[in-house]
Amino acid sequence: MELLIKGSTELNKMFAALERTASGLRHDFGEVENLQQSIRGARDFVKKASERIEESILSDLLLVRPSAGLLTPNVSREGDGRDEFVLAISGASNFVRANSHFAISLALRSNGETKIGLIYSPITEQLFYAEADAGAYTYSAFHSARVRVSNISDLSESTIAYNTSDARSLVGDVRRTGCPALDMAWVACGRFDGFVSDALDYAEIAAAELMLREAGGKITMDADLIATNGKIEL
């Protein structure tokens, strides 16, 4: 197959599956914009759209590795016990409100380690991706560019994204976007310098974790999830 993005054939097949799914998601987004008079109706619509998206993309992914397991918020299949596709929509609450800041997070894990990660914003059509030991990249307008975390080490000059529910002390230039996968991708790209979150479903951040590490960042996942450029302390 013709390679669309810099990386392995397997990575490109996963991206092709994402692109096919995203075209339907863009149509769904237009429908959600017409449902804003009823948030409950919009929420139900997005839930059904998410389930349909999972069904669509998972059938494509099983052509990539037929024996792989599957893990999504709605589907779990063990597979061969070695390989597993991990899929989630990050920023679903934004999607419900017809806010375009959401993404599909897709990772391939083998023997307990994430080997490929893709984070795709279907409305802006921008892709963030990484392969283990091969670096982190962005792709848009038919061009791939390698990315690295920022060099900012002064906390007072940093931009920090938060996804927390309590009233903890916030530091830096604060951002709340509602999309953890993109927040972490933006730390990897140097747009943010750090990200702090309550505990998250791993399916939502599996791809972003790989991308952050490949871009030179650091991540800890204890009671909180803390991702940084490796130069600031949160």
mmCIF file with all atom_site columns, all heavy atoms in Angstrom, residues 111-123:
data_model
loop_
_atom_site.group_PDB
_atom_site.id
_atom_site.type_symbol
_atom_site.label_atom_id
_atom_site.label_alt_id
_atom_site.label_comp_id
_atom_site.label_asym_id
_atom_site.label_entity_id
_atom_site.label_seq_id
_atom_site.pdbx_PDB_ins_code
_atom_site.Cartn_x
_atom_site.Cartn_y
_atom_site.Cartn_z
_atom_site.occupancy
_atom_site.B_iso_or_equiv
_atom_site.pdbx_formal_charge
_atom_site.auth_seq_id
_atom_site.auth_comp_id
_atom_site.auth_asym_id
_atom_site.auth_atom_id
_atom_site.pdbx_PDB_model_num
ATOM 1  N N   . ASN A 1 111 ? 2.439   -7.377  23.994 1.00 0.00 ? 111 ASN A N   1
ATOM 2  C CA  . ASN A 1 111 ? 3.119   -7.876  25.199 1.00 0.00 ? 111 ASN A CA  1
ATOM 3  C C   . ASN A 1 111 ? 3.191   -6.824  26.298 1.00 0.00 ? 111 ASN A C   1
ATOM 4  O O   . ASN A 1 111 ? 4.218   -6.643  26.964 1.00 0.00 ? 111 ASN A O   1
ATOM 5  C CB  . ASN A 1 111 ? 4.524   -8.370  24.837 1.00 0.00 ? 111 ASN A CB  1
ATOM 6  C CG  . ASN A 1 111 ? 4.493   -9.538  23.873 1.00 0.00 ? 111 ASN A CG  1
ATOM 7  O OD1 . ASN A 1 111 ? 3.679   -10.443 24.004 1.00 0.00 ? 111 ASN A OD1 1
ATOM 8  N ND2 . ASN A 1 111 ? 5.358   -9.497  22.862 1.00 0.00 ? 111 ASN A ND2 1
ATOM 9  N N   . GLY A 1 112 ? 2.090   -6.095  26.469 1.00 0.00 ? 112 GLY A N   1
ATOM 10 C CA  . GLY A 1 112 ? 1.993   -5.138  27.559 1.00 0.00 ? 112 GLY A CA  1
ATOM 11 C C   . GLY A 1 112 ? 2.630   -3.792  27.301 1.00 0.00 ? 112 GLY A C   1
ATOM 12 O O   . GLY A 1 112 ? 2.653   -2.933  28.193 1.00 0.00 ? 112 GLY A O   1
ATOM 13 N N   . GLU A 1 113 ? 3.143   -3.543  26.100 1.00 0.00 ? 113 GLU A N   1
ATOM 14 C CA  . GLU A 1 113 ? 3.775   -2.266  25.779 1.00 0.00 ? 113 GLU A CA  1
ATOM 15 C C   . GLU A 1 113 ? 3.101   -1.646  24.561 1.00 0.00 ? 113 GLU A C   1
ATOM 16 O O   . GLU A 1 113 ? 2.771   -2.343  23.601 1.00 0.00 ? 113 GLU A O   1
ATOM 17 C CB  . GLU A 1 113 ? 5.267   -2.447  25.497 1.00 0.00 ? 113 GLU A CB  1
ATOM 18 C CG  . GLU A 1 113 ? 6.063   -2.930  26.701 1.00 0.00 ? 113 GLU A CG  1
ATOM 19 C CD  . GLU A 1 113 ? 7.544   -3.004  26.403 1.00 0.00 ? 113 GLU A CD  1
ATOM 20 O OE1 . GLU A 1 113 ? 7.944   -2.674  25.252 1.00 0.00 ? 113 GLU A OE1 1
ATOM 21 O OE2 . GLU A 1 113 ? 8.310   -3.397  27.295 1.00 0.00 ? 113 GLU A OE2 1
ATOM 22 N N   . THR A 1 114 ? 2.921   -0.316  24.614 1.00 0.00 ? 114 THR A N   1
ATOM 23 C CA  . THR A 1 114 ? 2.314   0.384   23.487 1.00 0.00 ? 114 THR A CA  1
ATOM 24 C C   . THR A 1 114 ? 3.353   0.563   22.386 1.00 0.00 ? 114 THR A C   1
ATOM 25 O O   . THR A 1 114 ? 4.414   1.138   22.606 1.00 0.00 ? 114 THR A O   1
ATOM 26 C CB  . THR A 1 114 ? 1.764   1.757   23.922 1.00 0.00 ? 114 THR A CB  1
ATOM 27 O OG1 . THR A 1 114 ? 0.851   1.572   25.003 1.00 0.00 ? 114 THR A OG1 1
ATOM 28 C CG2 . THR A 1 114 ? 1.041   2.444   22.765 1.00 0.00 ? 114 THR A CG2 1
ATOM 29 N N   . LYS A 1 115 ? 3.045   0.060   21.201 1.00 0.00 ? 115 LYS A N   1
ATOM 30 C CA  . LYS A 1 115 ? 3.976   0.110   20.075 1.00 0.00 ? 115 LYS A CA  1
ATOM 31 C C   . LYS A 1 115 ? 3.630   1.210   19.077 1.00 0.00 ? 115 LYS A C   1
ATOM 32 O O   . LYS A 1 115 ? 4.512   1.786   18.442 1.00 0.00 ? 115 LYS A O   1
ATOM 33 C CB  . LYS A 1 115 ? 3.986   -1.241  19.347 1.00 0.00 ? 115 LYS A CB  1
ATOM 34 C CG  . LYS A 1 115 ? 4.425   -2.406  20.226 1.00 0.00 ? 115 LYS A CG  1
ATOM 35 C CD  . LYS A 1 115 ? 5.839   -2.227  20.733 1.00 0.00 ? 115 LYS A CD  1
ATOM 36 C CE  . LYS A 1 115 ? 6.318   -3.452  21.495 1.00 0.00 ? 115 LYS A CE  1
ATOM 37 N NZ  . LYS A 1 115 ? 7.703   -3.276  22.017 1.00 0.00 ? 115 LYS A NZ  1
ATOM 38 N N   . ILE A 1 116 ? 2.321   1.471   18.908 1.00 0.00 ? 116 ILE A N   1
ATOM 39 C CA  . ILE A 1 116 ? 1.857   2.500   17.978 1.00 0.00 ? 116 ILE A CA  1
ATOM 40 C C   . ILE A 1 116 ? 0.750   3.287   18.658 1.00 0.00 ? 116 ILE A C   1
ATOM 41 O O   . ILE A 1 116 ? -0.119  2.707   19.308 1.00 0.00 ? 116 ILE A O   1
ATOM 42 C CB  . ILE A 1 116 ? 1.324   1.890   16.664 1.00 0.00 ? 116 ILE A CB  1
ATOM 43 C CG1 . ILE A 1 116 ? 2.421   1.133   15.922 1.00 0.00 ? 116 ILE A CG1 1
ATOM 44 C CG2 . ILE A 1 116 ? 0.718   2.957   15.757 1.00 0.00 ? 116 ILE A CG2 1
ATOM 45 C CD1 . ILE A 1 116 ? 1.932   0.390   14.675 1.00 0.00 ? 116 ILE A CD1 1
ATOM 46 N N   . GLY A 1 117 ? 0.789   4.609   18.514 1.00 0.00 ? 117 GLY A N   1
ATOM 47 C CA  . GLY A 1 117 ? -0.274  5.442   19.068 1.00 0.00 ? 117 GLY A CA  1
ATOM 48 C C   . GLY A 1 117 ? -0.661  6.531   18.093 1.00 0.00 ? 117 GLY A C   1
ATOM 49 O O   . GLY A 1 117 ? 0.210   7.192   17.507 1.00 0.00 ? 117 GLY A O   1
ATOM 50 N N   . LEU A 1 118 ? -1.972  6.723   17.899 1.00 0.00 ? 118 LEU A N   1
ATOM 51 C CA  . LEU A 1 118 ? -2.485  7.778   17.026 1.00 0.00 ? 118 LEU A CA  1
ATOM 52 C C   . LEU A 1 118 ? -3.579  8.546   17.760 1.00 0.00 ? 118 LEU A C   1
ATOM 53 O O   . LEU A 1 118 ? -4.447  7.950   18.400 1.00 0.00 ? 118 LEU A O   1
ATOM 54 C CB  . LEU A 1 118 ? -3.057  7.205   15.729 1.00 0.00 ? 118 LEU A CB  1
ATOM 55 C CG  . LEU A 1 118 ? -2.155  6.332   14.879 1.00 0.00 ? 118 LEU A CG  1
ATOM 56 C CD1 . LEU A 1 118 ? -2.450  4.853   15.173 1.00 0.00 ? 118 LEU A CD1 1
ATOM 57 C CD2 . LEU A 1 118 ? -2.363  6.601   13.382 1.00 0.00 ? 118 LEU A CD2 1
ATOM 58 N N   . ILE A 1 119 ? -3.535  9.861   17.643 1.00 0.00 ? 119 ILE A N   1
ATOM 59 C CA  . ILE A 1 119 ? -4.569  10.734  18.202 1.00 0.00 ? 119 ILE A CA  1
ATOM 60 C C   . ILE A 1 119 ? -5.032  11.621  17.052 1.00 0.00 ? 119 ILE A C   1
ATOM 61 O O   . ILE A 1 119 ? -4.256  12.416  16.519 1.00 0.00 ? 119 ILE A O   1
ATOM 62 C CB  . ILE A 1 119 ? -4.008  11.600  19.345 1.00 0.00 ? 119 ILE A CB  1
ATOM 63 C CG1 . ILE A 1 119 ? -3.402  10.713  20.430 1.00 0.00 ? 119 ILE A CG1 1
ATOM 64 C CG2 . ILE A 1 119 ? -5.112  12.490  19.931 1.00 0.00 ? 119 ILE A CG2 1
ATOM 65 C CD1 . ILE A 1 119 ? -2.414  11.433  21.307 1.00 0.00 ? 119 ILE A CD1 1
ATOM 66 N N   . TYR A 1 120 ? -6.286  11.457  16.655 1.00 0.00 ? 120 TYR A N   1
ATOM 67 C CA  . TYR A 1 120 ? -6.779  12.109  15.438 1.00 0.00 ? 120 TYR A CA  1
ATOM 68 C C   . TYR A 1 120 ? -7.949  13.011  15.766 1.00 0.00 ? 120 TYR A C   1
ATOM 69 O O   . TYR A 1 120 ? -8.949  12.576  16.336 1.00 0.00 ? 120 TYR A O   1
ATOM 70 C CB  . TYR A 1 120 ? -7.194  11.057  14.416 1.00 0.00 ? 120 TYR A CB  1
ATOM 71 C CG  . TYR A 1 120 ? -7.536  11.620  13.051 1.00 0.00 ? 120 TYR A CG  1
ATOM 72 C CD1 . TYR A 1 120 ? -6.646  12.448  12.380 1.00 0.00 ? 120 TYR A CD1 1
ATOM 73 C CD2 . TYR A 1 120 ? -8.739  11.301  12.437 1.00 0.00 ? 120 TYR A CD2 1
ATOM 74 C CE1 . TYR A 1 120 ? -6.949  12.945  11.123 1.00 0.00 ? 120 TYR A CE1 1
ATOM 75 C CE2 . TYR A 1 120 ? -9.046  11.801  11.177 1.00 0.00 ? 120 TYR A CE2 1
ATOM 76 C CZ  . TYR A 1 120 ? -8.150  12.624  10.526 1.00 0.00 ? 120 TYR A CZ  1
ATOM 77 O OH  . TYR A 1 120 ? -8.452  13.120  9.282  1.00 0.00 ? 120 TYR A OH  1
ATOM 78 N N   . SER A 1 121 ? -7.819  14.271  15.398 1.00 0.00 ? 121 SER A N   1
ATOM 79 C CA  . SER A 1 121 ? -8.898  15.238  15.551 1.00 0.00 ? 121 SER A CA  1
ATOM 80 C C   . SER A 1 121 ? -9.702  15.257  14.252 1.00 0.00 ? 121 SER A C   1
ATOM 81 O O   . SER A 1 121 ? -9.233  15.785  13.237 1.00 0.00 ? 121 SER A O   1
ATOM 82 C CB  . SER A 1 121 ? -8.321  16.632  15.828 1.00 0.00 ? 121 SER A CB  1
ATOM 83 O OG  . SER A 1 121 ? -9.343  17.603  15.829 1.00 0.00 ? 121 SER A OG  1
ATOM 84 N N   . PRO A 1 122 ? -10.895 14.647  14.236 1.00 0.00 ? 122 PRO A N   1
ATOM 85 C CA  . PRO A 1 122 ? -11.601 14.466  12.958 1.00 0.00 ? 122 PRO A CA  1
ATOM 86 C C   . PRO A 1 122 ? -12.116 15.752  12.332 1.00 0.00 ? 122 PRO A C   1
ATOM 87 O O   . PRO A 1 122 ? -12.290 15.805  11.121 1.00 0.00 ? 122 PRO A O   1
ATOM 88 C CB  . PRO A 1 122 ? -12.768 13.539  13.331 1.00 0.00 ? 122 PRO A CB  1
ATOM 89 C CG  . PRO A 1 122 ? -12.969 13.745  14.778 1.00 0.00 ? 122 PRO A CG  1
ATOM 90 C CD  . PRO A 1 122 ? -11.627 14.036  15.356 1.00 0.00 ? 122 PRO A CD  1
ATOM 91 N N   . ILE A 1 123 ? -12.367 16.776  13.120 1.00 0.00 ? 123 ILE A N   1
ATOM 92 C CA  . ILE A 1 123 ? -12.899 18.030  12.567 1.00 0.00 ? 123 ILE A CA  1
ATOM 93 C C   . ILE A 1 123 ? -11.781 18.877  11.970 1.00 0.00 ? 123 ILE A C   1
ATOM 94 O O   . ILE A 1 123 ? -11.915 19.418  10.866 1.00 0.00 ? 123 ILE A O   1
ATOM 95 C CB  . ILE A 1 123 ? -13.678 18.820  13.635 1.00 0.00 ? 123 ILE A CB  1
ATOM 96 C CG1 . ILE A 1 123 ? -14.741 17.917  14.289 1.00 0.00 ? 123 ILE A CG1 1
ATOM 97 C CG2 . ILE A 1 123 ? -14.340 20.048  13.011 1.00 0.00 ? 123 ILE A CG2 1
ATOM 98 C CD1 . ILE A 1 123 ? -15.698 17.257  13.338 1.00 0.00 ? 123 ILE A CD1 1
#
